[in-house]
């Protein structure tokens, strides 16, 4: 497999866990609260309700809404510097159970290492 | 001579040899083998040491991944989809290629969307990929949550199975059957010698109809034996110690082997099950 297809192991986080991954790759799934002017950042409501700021490396032209998954590096308690993100159409986002996902994220962080392939070692 | 254009099958009792194939020496020679499918992450597949992916010693014949389709590359011989699931990226291949018109292939997933791939790990020349049996877009994001949980549950369950093997053979995999073994024990219960066991059926709990509770227990123990040579009768006796009398165990072993559920291997004291997944 060529190198361009290698991706980092990102931890799925919500607001509460973000600070544990300062400087490390994270994956944040949440809903867009608002996009800031200039298109370089937006705010996301994480699965536990916390508000997280997302800073983009290059600005986006269209306003984003709905369910979004952000991939980037965690910074402190409420910032993610994004490498990329995925938006989902309303058809996928509307039925998504955020509470259940949040429970799954909490579970991911509580199950010990070798039983749990989701958390980066 | 024989069989050139000869369509007649009569005569000397010989069949003209039209495709008289010798048995395949490949996968099928070992008899029935159960196939399983396990939910996995890309990282687990990338990091596993051998060509097959194993969890707690259980081999996964088929795996399923759920992740973002990062890129799709088509060529005349194959279609490669790179699935990224936050633990890593795995190449998933569909051989057969395209006619050059990618949009006409219904199995192609759209880049930047979540998809599920069901397939098998292949590792030629140390380049791992998954050969696709089925690929489909994820139509409900809850499937992603579900996959996350299934991956964890899969490992935990298999670890529990492995630990519970010989010691707690009476405990069913699906749980909830503990109580029957205690209530059916302690003498008085007729054993199933000579195939007559169905009369005292354990209320349908035994996973093969017609077994008594004790027969089922012994059969389960033998099914779980991992070694090539199966399990020695002393190990069976130790595993059901105090629950079944030794004489009864011997009768059960006779019954099971007469019925064809178990057979002896390296010597008369080693048994293996015909229903085992560990062929």
């Amino acid at each position: 497999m060529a190198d361009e297809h290698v991706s980092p192991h990102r931890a799925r986080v919500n607001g509460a866990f973000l600070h544990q991954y300062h400087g490390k790759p994270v994956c944040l799934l949440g809903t867009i609260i608002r996009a800031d002017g200039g298109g370089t950042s937006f705010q996301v409501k994480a699965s536990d309700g916390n508000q997280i700021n997302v800073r983009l490396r290059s600005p986006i032209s269209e306003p984003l809404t709905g369910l979004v998954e952000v991939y980037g590096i965690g910074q402190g308690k409420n910032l993610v510097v994004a490498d990329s993100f995925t938006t989902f159409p309303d058809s996928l986002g509307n039925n998504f159970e955020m509470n259940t996902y949040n429970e799954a994220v909490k579970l991911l962080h509580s199950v010990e290492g070798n039983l749990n392939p989701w958390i980066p070692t | 001579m024989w069989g050139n254009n000869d369509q007649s099958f009569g005569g000397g009792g010989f069949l003209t040899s039209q495709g008289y194939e010798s048995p395949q020496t490949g996968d099928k020679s070992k008899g029935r083998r159960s196939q399983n499918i396990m939910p996995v992450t890309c990282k687990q597949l990338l990091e596993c040491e051998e060509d097959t992916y194993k969890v707690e010693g259980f081999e996964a014949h088929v795996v399923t991944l759920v992740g973002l389709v990062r890129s799709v590359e088509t060529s005349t011989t194959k279609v490669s989809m790179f699935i990224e699931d936050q633990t890593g990226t795995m190449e998933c291949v569909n051989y057969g290629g395209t006619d050059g018109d990618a949009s006409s292939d219904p199995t192609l997933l759209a880049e930047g969307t979540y998809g599920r791939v069901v397939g098998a790990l292949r590792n030629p020349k140390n380049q791992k990929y998954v050969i696709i049996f089925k690929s489909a877009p994820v139509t409900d994001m809850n499937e992603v949550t579900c996959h996350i949980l299934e991956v964890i549950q899969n490992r935990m369950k298999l670890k529990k199975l492995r630990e519970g093997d010989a010691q707690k053979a009476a405990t069913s995999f699906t749980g909830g059957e503990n109580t029957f073994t205690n209530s059916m024990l302690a003498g008085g219960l007729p054993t199933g010698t000579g195939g007559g066991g169905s009369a005292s059926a354990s209320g349908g709990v035994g996973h093969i109809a017609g077994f008594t509770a004790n027969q089922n227990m012994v059969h389960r123990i033998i099914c779980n034996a991992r070694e090539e040579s199966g399990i020695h009768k002393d190990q069976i006796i130790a595993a059901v110690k105090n629950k079944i009398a030794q004489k009864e165990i011997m009768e059960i072993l006779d019954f099971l082997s007469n019925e064809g559920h178990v057979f002896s291997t390296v010597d008369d004291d080693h048994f293996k099950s015909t229903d085992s997944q560990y062929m």
Side-chain angles (χ1 to χ4, degrees):
Chain A
M1 208 162 60
D3 280 343
E4 72 252 19
H5 294 300
V6 173
S7 64
H9 188 168
R10 303 187 186 100
R12 284 187 176 272
V13 294
N14 58 16
F17 288 110
L18 181 58
H19 72 276
Q20 292 180 14
Y21 293 92
H22 179 81
K24 295 191 192 153
V26 294
C27 166
L28 178 71
L29 181 60
T31 49
I32 305 235
I33 301 174
R34 66 172 164 276
D36 284 348
T40 52
S41 67
F42 52 85
Q43 264 115 43
V44 169
K45 183 176 168 192
S47 55
D48 57 354
N50 284 321
Q51 184 172 308
I52 309 291
N53 297 318
V54 175
R55 190 183 304 151
L56 301 167
R57 294 192 197 273
S58 50
I60 43 171
S61 48
E62 294 162 10
L64 302 175
T65 57
L67 191 63
V68 67
E69 191 169 59
V70 178
Y71 317 108
I73 307 290
Q75 297 285 335
K77 287 198 289 197
N78 59 4
L79 175 64
V80 173
V81 177
D83 298 318
S84 60
F85 59 89
T86 306
T87 52
F88 300 97
D90 286 342
S91 56
L92 281 187
N94 288 343
N95 296 330
F96 184 59
E97 291 177 14
M98 195 58 85
N99 289 335
T100 312
Y101 176 76
N102 195 47
E103 291 299 319
V105 170
K106 281 163 48 180
L107 187 74
L108 291 194
H109 285 90
S110 69
V111 175
E112 61 167 278
N114 62 355
L115 287 178
N116 177 4
W118 296 105
I119 293 301
T121 44
Chain B
M1 245 322 240
W2 299 111
N4 282 342
N5 298 311
D6 189 14
Q7 292 299 312
S8 68
F9 287 80
F14 268 116
L15 279 176
T16 55
S17 60
Q18 295 187 5
Y20 209 99
E21 291 167 317
S22 59
Q24 303 264 356
T25 51
D27 304 327
K28 310 232 165 85
S29 65
K30 288 187 177 176
R32 181 161 51 98
R33 170 202 279 177
S34 58
Q35 295 266 302
N36 55 29
I37 176 170
M38 292 197 194
V40 297
T41 61
C42 293
K43 189 172 186 183
Q44 286 172 311
L45 295 181
L46 290 169
E47 290 185 347
C48 74
E49 285 168 2
E50 300 154 11
D51 290 353
T52 55
Y53 172 64
K54 285 191 170 136
V55 180
E56 302 288 335
F58 291 86
E59 185 183 327
H61 301 113
V62 176
V63 294
T64 175
L65 284 171
V66 169
L68 202 62
V69 180
R70 271 301 182 194
S71 73
V72 177
E73 293 168 9
T74 54
S75 77
T76 48
T77 51
K78 66 181 189 187
V79 172
S80 270
M81 297 195 275
F82 289 88
I83 305 288
E84 183 192 315
D85 70 351
Q86 310 316 318
T87 65
T89 301
M90 195 67 203
E91 183 181 3
C92 299
V93 174
N94 205 335
Y95 283 106
T98 61
D99 294 328
D101 180 8
S103 59
S104 67
D105 186 350
T107 65
L108 284 183
L109 300 174
E111 287 186 12
T113 65
Y114 264 88
R116 175 183 285 278
V117 164
V118 179
L121 182 65
R122 296 276 181 265
N123 193 10
K125 303 170 200 168
N126 267 329
Q127 267 212 310
K128 283 181 178 153
Y129 65 88
V130 171
I131 184 158
I132 300 177
F133 297 151
K134 172 185 162 173
S135 62
V138 163
T139 52
D140 182 345
M141 281 302 286
N142 293 311
E143 202 175 334
V144 176
T145 309
C146 192
H147 184 74
I148 293 173
L149 298 172
E150 279 177 357
V151 166
I152 299 178
Q153 193 235 15
N154 181 254
R155 298 205 86 154
M156 290 180 120
K157 187 144 214 185
L158 292 177
K159 178 172 179 181
K160 215 174 171 189
L161 279 186
R162 188 168 64 90
E163 287 170 359
D165 243 347
Q167 298 310 315
K168 301 180 201 166
T171 305
S172 156
F173 294 172
T174 55
E177 291 181 359
N178 289 348
T179 51
F180 85 91
T181 54
N182 288 326
S183 63
M184 297 286 228
L185 295 174
L189 186 68
T191 62
T193 46
S198 54
S200 53
S202 50
V205 184
H207 81 120
I208 294 187
F211 275 17
T212 62
N214 289 346
Q215 289 168 345
N216 195 36
M217 203 188 309
V218 172
H219 181 247
R220 273 265 167 79
I221 295 172
I222 300 176
C223 273
N224 288 335
R226 303 282 204 89
E227 289 87 35
E228 285 265 25
S229 50
I231 185 172
H232 192 275
K233 76 172 193 309
D234 289 343
Q235 289 174 280
I236 302 177
I237 293 171
V240 298
K241 198 158 43 171
N242 300 330
K243 293 187 181 154
I244 311 183
Q246 186 156 338
K247 176 164 173 292
E248 187 183 327
I249 295 178
M250 298 314 299
E251 286 170 345
I252 293 177
L253 286 172
D254 273 341
F255 163 67
L256 290 175
S257 100
N258 286 340
E259 294 291 310
H261 294 296
V262 304
F263 56 96
S264 50
T265 57
V266 294
D267 62 21
D268 284 347
D269 293 330
H270 281 85
F271 293 92
K272 217 171 166 189
S273 166
T274 46
D275 298 318
S276 166
Q277 51 181 309
Y278 299 118
M279 286 308 212

